[in-house]
Amino acid sequence: MQEYDLVVIGGGPAGLAAAVAAKEQGIENILILEREAKLGGILNQCIHNGFGLHVFKEELTGPEYAYRFINMIEDKFIRYKTETMVIDLSKDKLITAVNKTDGIFTIQAKAVILAMGCRERPRGALNIPGARCSGIFTAGTAQKFVNIEGMMPGKSIVILGSGDIGLIMARRMTLEGAHVKAVVELMPYSAGLTRNIVQCLDDYDIPLKLNHTVTNIVGKDRLEGVYIAPVDENRNPIPNEEEYIPCDTLLLSVGLLPENELSKKATVKLSPLTGGAEVDEGRETNVDGIFACGNVLHVHDLVDHVTEESYIAGNAAARYLKGLQKQSKKIEVKAKDGARYVVPKFISPENIETDLELSFRVRDIYKDHYVSVYFDETRVAHQKKKILTPGEMQTVKVTAEMLNAHTHCNEISIQVEKE
Amino acid sequence: MDQKALVCIGCPLGCRLEVTLENSEVLRVTGQSCRKGKTYAIKECTNPTRILTTTVEVENGFLEVASIKTEKDIPKDKLFDCIKELKKVRLTAPIHIGDIVVANIADTGVNIIATTNCEALDT
Ligand SMILES: Cc1cc2nc3c(=O)[nH]c(=O)nc-3n(C[C@H](O)[C@H](O)[C@H](O)COP(=O)(O)OP(=O)(O)OC[C@H]3O[C@@H](n4cnc5c(N)ncnc54)[C@H](O)[C@@H]3O)c2cc1C
Ligand code: SF4
């Protein structure tokens, strides 16, 4: 059995940044395990630009952003194994993995960082009736076909869901010569960034059908077309208003789910709100010495935020390994009213030396509302926001002074308020 | 006089802008909630540009296709001309990030550069 101080599971941007941070804090014995042939995670297939404005102050494409971190891993002599799939993790941090050269092997780690990313919601999670024909893919799978394998999944396309990946793929397939007939969105607003609506749909005259859904799928072996219909206030399709769109491909861009099969095996407690682990300010889970960061923790829209969060987890894992983490009272952080969830879920004031950022998402679109932070009943922060949308992760700062002034506080909460 | 509708991408508010044009000159912009909206509208109506990202085929490489981009933004109406030229391009590995793979694409004065590394299968 091999032994390591720190094992990072997943070599996407989260895993790479966490490993870099831990190494910079003096942890020498680190191993990254990645199931794909290449480090970099999902970024390798995201060839569009728009990554890195916060972290590198320039606009990079996904692969360029990934290589910045792969180079750091090489320069710091951090060890990694690719084409290596982790198949089991125990709460005592015993890892079982498999690859072609070593077969099945086990590693004992003193600390583990979970960085497995997320996967896309498949058709099964949606319950669309109709034929089980070929020609239906998730947008991310199509992205991999086109950008990595150089193959087009189809010629005439309908996209269900207006998340950023769907929007990016609408443009990508158009540039490659396909006809994208419509992007169909159940909600009255898109989950994607305005910039993507304008530059991926409007630029190419691709219609965005808000308040619509796919009601039926037609085809024998291969998809031949889909029926779409408008929905009422309860999101139910309105009968007799169906429209038929012939197409050979349907792409699904209907949300991402954190990939937490391994976390469950290690008895990591998951939040029903995020689908990821419940963590403290250092991104440590309920299991001693197991940390989580990136999309496995909660779905991020910007890779820059993934990187920043992963530095926090890497630093905290290093402190844990050096025995510097204090066991102290934890204050619970809650999302209330307009706030849907907040990360981290717990804060130990004694482990906090500088200001702390809380990440949260809102439930709905709010214009001219305030984001407030409460320590029990006392409001300590109150910030006006021109707009808050569910598609955009928000952050709010909790300072060391606030924590010092409320040491006996039982609960911190984030709220979206009218005034 | 022409009217043109735009959505500002300056921030998530996504203000709906109405632009009044005469002989492709912007006379008036309405609908913006801040100054950025007007600047955006003028740029979009007089000289809209985009960065193009796509892939080209690779020979003798570990990858089937390599990702590339225009080094700077190019006029929006040149996007498909560039794509057409790039369809004819075949690169030979090895390729490195930042390599110029096509100079002065479609007479835009802008180079196409690689955004990925690709080792050669045999060297
Ligand atoms: C399709 C798509 C488009 C995006 N577009 C943008 C954008 O335009 N701009 C932007 O800033 N952000 C974008 N994002 C967001 C950003 O890229 C992601 O938030 C970021 O890549 C997440 O990083 P991660 O390391 O958490 O996950 P990932 O990049 O998914 O990495 C997780 C890694 O873990 C590995 N793994 C999983 N399970 C195991 C296991 N059991 N054993 C071994 N390895 C395992 C996976 O192979 C993968 O390499 C996009 C995300 C997606 C999914
Ligand atoms: S005009 Fe100003 S407020 Fe409106 S979308 Fe543009 S940047 Fe945002």
Side-chain angles (χ1 to χ4, degrees), chain A residues 159-322:
Chain A
I159 300 177
L160 175 59
S162 63
D164 286 314
I165 313 168
L167 301 178
I168 296 279
M169 281 314 289
R171 172 176 64 188
R172 186 74 190 108
M173 309 273 284
T174 306
L175 288 175
E176 287 294 326
H179 180 191
V180 179
K181 296 193 162 172
V183 174
V184 180
E185 169 61 55
L186 182 67
M187 301 302 284
Y189 50 83
S190 162
L193 300 173
T194 316
R195 168 174 141 146
N196 285 339
I197 308 252
V198 170
Q199 298 196 344
C200 299
L201 301 187
D202 298 354
D203 272 5
Y204 304 96
D205 295 321
I206 300 168
L208 171 60
K209 293 197 170 275
L210 299 172
N211 293 307
H212 275 69
T213 192
V214 169
T215 51
N216 207 347
I217 289 170
V218 183
K220 281 196 202 78
D221 300 327
R222 178 77 192 199
L223 183 67
E224 286 165 19
V226 296
Y227 282 93
I228 69 166
V231 295
D232 61 22
E233 315 79 68
N234 301 318
R235 317 272 124 233
N236 294 317
I238 302 170
N240 306 326
E241 291 201 23
E242 284 188 328
E243 173 192 347
Y244 181 69
I245 308 182
C247 60
D248 61 22
T249 304
L250 175 67
L251 299 189
L252 307 174
S253 176
V254 288
L256 300 165
L257 302 166
E259 174 89 64
N260 273 299
E261 296 313 312
L262 285 175
S263 324
K264 283 185 211 154
K265 289 185 179 170
T267 69
V268 167
K269 188 157 186 258
L270 301 181
S271 153
L273 296 173
T274 57
E278 292 184 345
V279 293
D280 67 12
E281 72 287 341
R283 307 304 187 262
E284 188 176 11
T285 68
N286 64 306
V287 183
D288 185 60
I290 298 187
F291 298 77
C293 56
N295 277 355
V296 76
L297 183 56
H298 58 127
V299 176
H300 295 66
D301 14 81
L302 290 180
V303 71
D304 302 76
H305 294 152
V306 169
T307 300
E308 281 154 12
E309 177 174 86
S310 306
Y311 283 151
I312 294 174
N315 286 334
R319 285 169 56 112
Y320 169 87
L321 286 165
K322 293 192 238 168

Side-chain angles (χ1 to χ4, degrees), chain A residues 38 47-49 61 63-64 67 147-150 172 175-176 194-195 198-199 203-204 386-387 392, chain B residues 7-9 12-13 40 50-55 64-65 67 69 76 79-80 83 87 97 115-117:
Chain A
K38 225 170 147 180
I47 64 160
H48 56 280
N49 65 318
T61 63
E64 290 172 305
Y67 272 109
N147 294 345
I148 306 281
E149 330 255 336
R172 186 74 190 108
L175 288 175
E176 287 294 326
T194 316
R195 168 174 141 146
V198 170
Q199 298 196 344
D203 272 5
Y204 304 96
K386 253 192 333 193
I387 189 157
E392 253 210 321
Chain B
V7 180
C8 178
I9 63 167
L13 211 51
Y40 172 77
R50 301 286 184 266
I51 297 262
L52 173 68
T53 62
T54 182
T55 53
E64 302 296 320
V65 291
S67 55
K69 69 176 180 187
K76 191 176 136 185
L79 287 172
F80 279 99
I83 287 278
K87 282 277 167 224
I97 290 182
T115 58
T116 191
N117 292 340

Side-chain angles (χ1 to χ4, degrees), chain A residues 137-156:
Chain A
F137 308 90
T138 63
T141 307
Q143 190 178 45
K144 195 169 178 183
F145 276 148
V146 181
N147 294 345
I148 306 281
E149 330 255 336
M151 287 188 314
M152 280 289 280
K155 289 204 182 92
S156 62

